[in-house]
Amino acid sequence: MVRILRENTRGWIQGCAAACLFCVAVTGYALTPMDDDQMSEVNGTGLAVGFDDFDFRMAPTSFIELTGSEPSSAADTAGWDRGDARYYGLSFTDADANGVQWFDNDNACGNPDDLCALGSGTITNFAPVNNPYVFRAFDNPGYDPSGTYLDGGSTPTNMELVGPTASDPWRWSFWGELQVDRNNQDGGSELLQSQTIIKGKNITQSGDPSIFRIFQTEGPDETFGFTYQSALSGDFRFSVAQTGSSPDAVHEVPEFGAQEGVVFKNVDAFIPLGRLHSQFFSLNSTSANDGNFVIELSEVPNSPNAYNDIYCGNQGSACTTNSTASDGTYDDTFGNEVEVISNPNDETHGYVRWGNFNNGDPNSICATCTGNGIYFRAPANDPSEPGGAVTNIGVARLDGVLIQSMRLETLGIQ
Amino acid sequence: MAKVLVRNMHLPVWAMLVWTGSVAAMEPMEDGEMSSVRAQEGISIGLEVRLNTAADGSALDGELTDCGTPGATSGDFTSSECRFALNAQNRTNEWVLFRGVYGSLLINDINLDAGILGNVSGAPSGMFDSARFEDPDGDCLLPTSCDHGSLMDEPALVFEYPDTSPGYSPSTGQSSGYDSLEVGYTIEETRIVFQNNGFNDTTTDGSFLGLEVSDNNAARAGIAISGQAYVYGF
């Protein structure tokens, strides 16, 4: 950036001076385009935003509401009502001890392991200035859907927002209000109030960040496309039970039980969706052109270069595979001879792990413990107690996830 | 700042000819003179942006047709003139149309300053990741080198929100102190329209989603923010 400014500014000034003095065009001093070598020395490809001692608290009475629409006549006949959902108090606060509830900022919710709704201070390293959010314009190489490797000048530019790869843990929370019986046809309270709390970071335990990329797609139907890599690690709690002093009324801030709910401890999740430039999300219309629409993650291309890159990261060669029968490294209990990829591409295969499998024997999780795995805690029988009985159902995991194709089509708009 | 400017400036010849008297006026400022310059400690900014709303954050109904009030049919904002639409490349005559759009944004007090990254209280060297500042070939994009110490010498634009002490009173049902940022925003209807100039469609009704950002007791949601955001390029 600095180099461009200096050289072009000097050329412009000198060109103007020469033109004024001699009243002729002097091409040697005119504006000239920079060649690739000069451009390659130019920076200015990225913008960094770091957050220091940061917190963000929406008032517990302030909300983001997703509003439905009146049902069509057919849906109305079938008994459907309009439903709205409100999300109150979206907050990013510190993950330290001494958290508090939405209901009253003096209302402590117990010990640090209870996943309280709000932290009481700021997050020192929400996005450290030496590991910030970066917004970059890059020509990342990759295979297009036909299997052609795009690199150098032929590579389409993509804009990417990349999250930190290291930060302090922090608390992300909101409470919600969902209309479940708008016209109160069956009696009851018409609404479900809940709170959602995550204490962790948008980074996997192994340091993979969240990445969102936008670009022009490659292939026969060029349009706007994007890919997203989701990363999350930490603890998660979802609860609905309210205390006896909670108002339990629409649009009024509830007082939730301090510890009740379903809790996932030591979650680690990595979900990559799409691969530059061969697999991507795009928006499309339906064949009926009736107002419905399609969000689609394109198929893994039927092109060896592209799918070998996606499945095993090989450039221009087939994936190495092992046979369960021939190498004897796999349990052949079911008698099937299955070819398996020896080295799957970690960048394209996701996982979700609910609980830490390396924290003791995963087959012997304590049934009443709260330090690891998935557990349910009952509301307290005695209001003076923070919570009731615990039932821990252990740890679970999903590994090697690669979405081959995904298509979401709305059908209800008429 | 002024000293650097004079030394690096390449003045054109014609400018010297017609502007000889002015060249002498470009002189570096002494430290004493610089100390009298205002805004050295940064500036404080207040900002208000309104889109189809009155000063209290309510929709401009009556002045613009059906901005925030349904038409003859409940929930129908088809004829709302408060609208915008999106159209993607190679999606001719396919529009994402937003109707009944209005909102306002208030930034009540934010400080804008300049600073050095090394001044932050956090960002320990162990959190540094050089890959964030490298191009796809692994070449460093920072002015000096890709290490923690060099980065900490870099200047940045600093946005700072003062510390806040927000709270909520169950007895009154009111929140207080959430006034760093106030946001009110409504999209009554969103739908896809398939026609030329689909952004101007006033005949096709229906919606798949609406959005509202607000507060139970006010037209705008209240948000309390503390801390600093450091913005820099590389």
Side-chain angles (χ1 to χ4, degrees), chain A residues 44-49 132-137 161, chain B residues 231-234:
Chain A
T45 52
L47 188 68
V49 184
Y133 282 91
V134 290
F135 190 57
R136 309 186 293 205
L161 177 64
Chain B
V231 181
Y232 58 98
F234 58 90

Side-chain angles (χ1 to χ4, degrees), chain A residues 296-380:
Chain A
E296 185 172 20
L297 177 62
S298 59
E299 294 180 353
V300 171
N302 187 19
S303 159
N305 283 346
Y307 64 64
N308 284 328
D309 169 60
I310 290 174
Y311 282 111
C312 60
N314 281 4
Q315 293 196 357
S317 60
C319 293
T320 305
T321 59
N322 290 331
S323 165
T324 58
S326 60
D327 64 14
T329 57
Y330 293 87
D331 182 359
D332 203 18
T333 306
F334 299 103
N336 298 321
E337 185 170 317
V338 180
E339 291 285 331
V340 295
I341 294 173
S342 305
N343 297 296
N345 186 350
D346 290 339
E347 295 178 358
T348 57
H349 291 72
Y351 55 82
V352 184
R353 296 160 187 161
W354 299 277
N356 183 353
F357 275 66
N358 299 315
N359 184 10
D361 182 355
N363 297 315
S364 303
I365 298 288
C366 163
T368 58
C369 293
T370 60
N372 192 24
I374 307 165
Y375 66 85
F376 296 81
R377 186 190 282 273

